[in-house]
Amino acid sequence: NAGVTQTPKFQVLKTGQSMTLQCAQDMNHEYMSWYRQDPGMGLRLIHYSVGAGITDQGEVPNGYNVSRSTTEDFPLRLLSAAPSQTSVYFCASSYSGTGNNEQFFGPGTRLTVL
Amino acid sequence: GEDVEQSLFLSVREGDSSVINCTYTDSSSTYLYWYKQEPGAGLQLLTYIFSNMDMKQDQRLTVLLNKKDKHLSLRIADTQTGDSAIYFCASGNMLTFGGGTRLMVKP
């Protein structure tokens, strides 16, 4: 199993550009989520999905869109990048969103918006 | 919303015990978690504790839970240089993370 994979590893954008961060998992997990990590602030939940076709907002959803057309993939779209979106983005998946759900994290995408 | 707080930094000598503390506000959490993040990597689940337990031991790791004070701690016995990392506590069914404690282990 590859686990949770994310691409790209690094990305530099100019303000106003759009892009999609890719996330895929091969563990047949129902629950997938996107976090951003900023220094001293831990991880903050952007969006999550409890299954294909179902998504919901987390703590900091503004400026981001998601879709979940398959169980495996959960892309995160930045519609119009802003410097405030400079961060490290982590995708995670787990078997279920509740209970003892060990979340498996991808290696992260480091995004810089100039 | 829920809040999870941790101290930012802890420095210990190799062989000593490390204690990382965390406070949380969501008393409805069924499980509380400790994750470890090594440089340049994602988070990995280190251990967790069910909310009706006071203590859980797993080899060098001991988790203590004080539900009354909403205080969670992680003790690492015989800390090694390989334990240097950032440790996050997390609570809630939707996982609210603390800001992380950077553990530095000096040889």
Side-chain angles (χ1 to χ4, degrees), chain B residues 18-69:
Chain B
S18 308
V19 179
I20 302 171
N21 295 302
C22 170
T23 58
Y24 60 96
T25 59
D26 183 2
S27 58
S28 68
S29 297
T30 307
Y31 294 91
L32 295 116
Y33 306 85
W34 284 103
Y35 280 81
K36 178 182 180 182
Q37 183 182 30
E38 296 186 353
L43 278 69
Q44 284 188 298
L45 181 66
L46 199 58
T47 187
Y48 65 91
I49 187 167
F50 189 50
S51 60
N52 70 353
M53 297 170 65
D54 298 325
M55 185 182 83
K56 179 181 178 182
Q57 187 143 7
D58 184 1
Q59 298 182 347
R60 292 191 297 121
L61 305 178
T62 304
V63 179
L64 295 177
L65 175 59
N66 181 329
K67 285 188 71 174
K68 175 175 166 290
D69 295 337

Side-chain angles (χ1 to χ4, degrees), chain A residues 31 35 37 40-43 45 48 90 97-103 105-107, chain B residues 8 31 33 35 37 40-45 48 88 93-95 97-100:
Chain A
Y31 181 83
Y35 295 88
Q37 182 179 26
M41 297 186 72
L43 276 74
L45 183 64
Y48 65 96
F90 289 100
T98 59
N100 174 23
N101 55 326
E102 176 181 356
Q103 292 218 34
F105 283 82
Chain B
L8 284 177
Y31 294 91
Y33 306 85
Y35 280 81
Q37 183 182 30
L43 278 69
Q44 284 188 298
L45 181 66
Y48 65 91
F88 293 91
N93 292 336
M94 299 304 294
L95 282 194
F97 286 85

Side-chain angles (χ1 to χ4, degrees), chain B residues 68-84:
Chain B
K68 175 175 166 290
D69 295 337
K70 296 182 185 174
H71 183 267
L72 183 72
S73 69
L74 173 70
R75 179 178 181 268
I76 306 172
D78 187 24
T79 312
Q80 302 297 307
T81 54
D83 295 323
S84 293

Side-chain angles (χ1 to χ4, degrees), chain A residues 3-36:
Chain A
V4 179
T5 57
Q6 290 183 238
T7 56
K9 284 193 164 69
F10 300 94
Q11 183 71 50
V12 179
L13 293 177
K14 294 181 180 176
T15 297
Q17 286 185 313
S18 62
M19 80 158 294
T20 300
L21 278 63
Q22 302 291 343
C23 174
Q25 53 90 11
D26 61 0
M27 296 173 282
N28 202 31
H29 284 168
E30 298 167 356
Y31 181 83
M32 296 185 74
S33 52
W34 276 102
Y35 295 88
R36 60 177 289 173

